[in-house]
């Protein structure tokens, strides 16, 4: 449930820049190089930020929690 909320929050926060960056990548005509460069920068940056916020950070949290729980029995025995 928490993961679904976190994913929805991250995707809702980042969908607009992702959608505005994509058409810029496909630009043609006068000044197209400028629009393509900004589109690639916006799209790839926001895509990486979304993946980091939705996948990497929660996975890292779960890994740290797993490490804490794994070390608990050693401390309780003393």
């Amino acid at each position: 449930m928490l993961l679904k909320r976190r994913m929805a929050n991250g995707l809702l926060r980042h969908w607009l820049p992702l959608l505005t960056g994509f058409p810029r990548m496909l630009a043609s005509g006068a000044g197209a190089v400028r629009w393509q460069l900004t589109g690639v920068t916006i799209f790839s940056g926001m895509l990486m930020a979304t993946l980091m916020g939705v996948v990497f950070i929660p996975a890292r949290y779960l890994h740290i929690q797993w490490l804490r729980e794994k070390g608990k029995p050693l401390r309780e025995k003393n």
Side-chain angles (χ1 to χ4, degrees), residues 51-63:
L51 291 175
M52 291 284 287
V54 173
V55 176
F56 181 73
I57 294 172
R60 184 68 178 145
Y61 173 78
L62 291 174
H63 182 250

Side-chain angles (χ1 to χ4, degrees), residues 11-22 42 46:
L11 293 175
L12 287 174
R13 187 173 52 230
H14 295 291
W15 72 271
L16 186 61
L18 279 171
L19 291 179
T20 57
F22 187 72
I42 291 169
M46 291 307 293

Side-chain angles (χ1 to χ4, degrees), residues 23-71:
R24 291 179 186 199
M25 292 184 345
L26 306 175
S28 63
V33 173
R34 177 177 53 112
W35 287 111
Q36 290 169 353
L37 289 174
T38 58
V40 167
T41 304
I42 291 169
F43 188 79
S44 61
M46 291 307 293
L47 185 63
M48 288 305 297
T50 302
L51 291 175
M52 291 284 287
V54 173
V55 176
F56 181 73
I57 294 172
R60 184 68 178 145
Y61 173 78
L62 291 174
H63 182 250
I64 291 172
Q65 185 67 26
W66 178 76
L67 289 174
R68 291 175 91 190
E69 290 174 1
K70 183 179 174 185

